[in-house]
Amino acid sequence: MQTGLYIDGRWDSGVSQLENRNPSDVSDLIGLYAQAGADQLDEALHAAKRAQVAWWAAGIQKRHDVLMAIGTELMARAAEIGRIIAREEGKPLAEGKGEVYRAGQFFTYFAGECLRNQGDLAESVRPGVEIDVRREPVGVVAIISPWNFPVATPAWKIAPALAFGNSVVWKPANLTPASAVALTEIIAKQDIPAGLFNLVAGPGRDVGQRLVESRDVAAISFTGSVPVGRGIAASAIENMTKVQMEMGSKNPMVIMDDADLDLAVANACGAAFGGTGQKCTAASRLIVHASIHDAFVEKLVTATEALKVGHALEDGTQLGPVVSEDQLKQNLDYIDIGKSEGAELLTGGERLECGTEGYYMAPAIFAGTTNDMRINREEMFAPITCVMKADSYDEALAIANDSAFGLTAGIMTRSLARASHFRANMRAGCVMVNLPTAGTDYHVPFGGRGASSYGPREQGTYAAEFYTSVKTAYVAAGEPT
């Protein structure tokens, strides 16, 4: 496998390297991966600007065929690339395989979008004038993606960017370079113009900042933290660059007194701790009706303590390690913060020793929490969830909506009236009824409100709003002679 950058149709060694180690076993050195310098980024941007014109001219059938080939190969190699994800990010192998297969589905879905009409005909209010409204590519798209879904998240950005005729400069997360290379190798083998797709890894303070400040970039799609997102938006506005940002979350799950208790526990446990809690859709606030609070908490603790924490590549592992030493330290700091705020730690929250030296942590549940505590206000990105009591549906909804974030939210109830009211009045981009807060389909829009998201939605037909520009053309053909 390559360990370099991919710029203007060729692999490049970069100006420096970083170590990539397995968080399940830090003695396992996966490799040394290239980091770009300013000159290499500039070369990628110039190549992308040139290649975009040729790609748009290649037509819809060509774009369809390329995206279909990428998606098909990703699905065929899900086990192989899923193992890479498990090894470098710590996601259990089954989840890694599923992520890669889903990434393939993004490409095959947008292959189909290449062939669908992207425009409208309209009647003019003036006689003899014809109007057509069409969508055209924005140009060079900068993609900045996170480590927690190192193949799926870039896939749902790269696929529509290419489908709608744009070129791409991709800056992946430095914690997961092997996954980025694996995806790039599949894209690079396609019959595409040199420079259409570029992999430019590097530090955010240098490469990332230069990328978002570039006048050659027409649009920036970013997934990451709120502070970084705000910085990108501030830089982008200088050039009036289009931005699409998915950022933080503090997702609530409401468990009502009429809920199926066992289903509620299963959904809450899976949503809170799946992916070791390192998901923007994780349920980190569990708002439980007071009449079933104690029974729910007892069952949740039992289910949580039964989860198997271990090496991501071992059979039966349900929770792998967290991604890095820094992430583990931050998680343990939040455990101390919760205790200092008066929350009751019911289980977990400590570093675990497993068969190999890695960043393992026992999933944690806090009870007796209130919505003004930091552990209920700040995104922790950790296997930590916090339980709050509510005496009524109205109180539960008010607590759920009392957040700067608004990505996903869920309710567990048998009441159609409550479910319908929650769907209409929960201020979140995605609302789940009797389902985990995590888990979304690839053909429908994804995104949130407040500090969670900024700009047009991702995924599905809604992706066209970001990756295209609308042109309205008026034509007076005159009278035939």
Side-chain angles (χ1 to χ4, degrees), residues 272-297:
F273 303 126
T276 322
Q278 298 174 144
K279 294 182 179 181
C280 61
T281 53
S284 56
R285 294 188 297 150
L286 305 179
I287 305 162
V288 186
H289 194 282
S291 66
I292 61 164
H293 175 275
D294 293 352
F296 173 83
V297 166

Side-chain angles (χ1 to χ4, degrees), residues 192-451:
I192 57 177
L196 179 70
F197 176 84
N198 303 271
L199 171 69
V200 187
R205 65 185 179 276
D206 299 325
V207 173
Q209 190 61 33
R210 189 176 183 89
L211 177 61
V212 300
E213 291 177 353
S214 173
R215 291 183 181 274
D216 289 329
V217 171
I220 304 164
S221 183
F222 165 78
T223 298
S225 70
V226 173
V228 175
R230 285 177 173 153
I232 289 172
S235 297
I237 197 64
E238 293 294 322
N239 297 323
M240 297 297 180
T241 305
K242 203 172 185 180
V243 292
Q244 174 192 68
M245 299 190 295
E246 295 298 332
M247 298 172 288
S249 65
K250 201 67 190 169
N251 308 305
M253 177 181 282
V254 172
I255 295 95
M256 294 308 302
D257 52 344
D258 63 340
D260 179 325
L261 199 57
D262 290 333
L263 179 63
V265 168
N267 284 347
C269 190
F273 303 126
T276 322
Q278 298 174 144
K279 294 182 179 181
C280 61
T281 53
S284 56
R285 294 188 297 150
L286 305 179
I287 305 162
V288 186
H289 194 282
S291 66
I292 61 164
H293 175 275
D294 293 352
F296 173 83
V297 166
E298 182 180 356
K299 284 178 174 284
L300 182 65
V301 169
T302 299
T304 301
E305 291 177 345
L307 292 171
K308 181 183 176 183
V309 179
H311 196 295
L313 293 173
E314 285 182 1
D315 290 342
T317 292
Q318 294 170 286
L319 269 70
V322 301
V323 73
S324 68
E325 186 174 12
D326 286 346
Q327 186 67 48
L328 179 59
K329 182 182 183 303
Q330 178 180 295
N331 296 354
L332 298 177
D333 286 346
Y334 270 115
I335 295 295
D336 291 338
I337 289 167
K339 290 177 180 177
S340 70
E341 291 181 310
E344 180 185 1
L345 182 63
L346 298 181
T347 188
E350 71 275 10
R351 183 169 189 169
L352 295 177
E353 297 296 328
C354 293
T356 52
E357 184 184 353
Y359 307 122
Y360 300 103
M361 176 180 175
I365 302 170
F366 278 114
T369 75
T370 58
N371 210 38
D372 58 350
M373 292 179 175
R374 283 183 61 188
I375 55 174
N376 279 321
R377 307 304 296 183
E378 300 173 9
E379 182 178 44
M380 295 180 284
F381 228 58
I384 304 170
T385 196
C386 305
V387 181
M388 290 176 276
K389 282 184 183 178
D391 291 321
S392 66
Y393 166 77
D394 288 342
E395 182 184 4
L397 177 63
I399 293 170
N401 274 325
D402 180 16
S403 175
F405 301 106
L407 184 55
T408 68
I411 187 169
M412 300 297 303
T413 181
R414 290 187 174 98
S415 165
L416 178 60
R418 283 172 170 171
S420 296
H421 189 274
F422 189 82
R423 289 166 64 192
N425 292 279
M426 181 65 224
R427 292 191 292 274
C430 304
V431 177
M432 284 71 168
V433 177
N434 294 327
L435 288 165
T437 55
T440 58
D441 288 358
Y442 59 86
H443 65 301
V444 290
F446 175 81
R449 298 170 65 158

Side-chain angles (χ1 to χ4, degrees), residues 60 112-120 135:
I60 59 176
E113 286 297 290
C114 293
L115 303 180
R116 294 188 177 93
N117 290 329
Q118 294 294 331
D120 302 287
R135 290 190 175 274

Side-chain angles (χ1 to χ4, degrees), residues 1-4 16-20 30-35 177-178 181:
M1 177 185 286
Q2 288 282 344
T3 58
S16 62
Q17 294 179 320
L18 57 77
E19 282 191 349
N20 182 22
I30 298 166
L32 300 174
Y33 286 80
Q35 297 277 278
V181 168

